[in-house]
Amino acid sequence: MEDGECIATEAPKAPVTKERKIGTDLEKYIAKPYVARALQAPDVGNPDGTKEHPDNGMTVLQQHVAFFDQDNDGVVYPWETFK
């Protein structure tokens, strides 16, 4: 972290986090952009997340993983990711 920063915004092992800086004007688009959200993934184009996508009571990360779990057994196998 640089001097004056209170939260790390770059991950040394994920170079893309250094290339894609966090916007300093997010409050223009997203209400309280600093608040973590469990069921939505807001961005500038979709400040309320994707409303037409049902969350089924799962967090954004759970939804992402469930997409790859093709047989819904709770385990993501390499061949499911390939499909």
Side-chain angles (χ1 to χ4, degrees):
M1 279 192 293
E2 293 183 23
D3 290 340
E5 287 186 22
C6 61
I7 298 174
T9 59
E10 298 176 11
K13 293 186 178 181
V16 71
T17 61
K18 187 171 187 172
E19 296 167 13
R20 299 181 186 173
K21 301 284 186 193
I22 294 176
T24 57
D25 64 345
L26 292 178
E27 288 189 3
K28 291 181 189 175
Y29 308 99
I30 303 169
K32 299 182 182 178
Y34 46 82
V35 174
R37 290 154 169 87
L39 302 177
Q40 334 171 310
D43 60 32
V44 173
N46 299 289
D48 295 317
T50 309
K51 289 289 190 182
E52 54 278 354
H53 181 77
D55 60 48
N56 298 317
M58 295 187 286
T59 68
V60 174
L61 179 58
Q62 288 173 315
Q63 293 173 57
H64 181 77
V65 173
F67 174 82
F68 294 99
D69 184 9
Q70 300 290 310
D71 58 5
N72 297 314
D73 66 351
V75 180
V76 178
Y77 294 97
W79 53 86
E80 291 176 306
T81 303
F82 179 75
K83 285 182 185 178

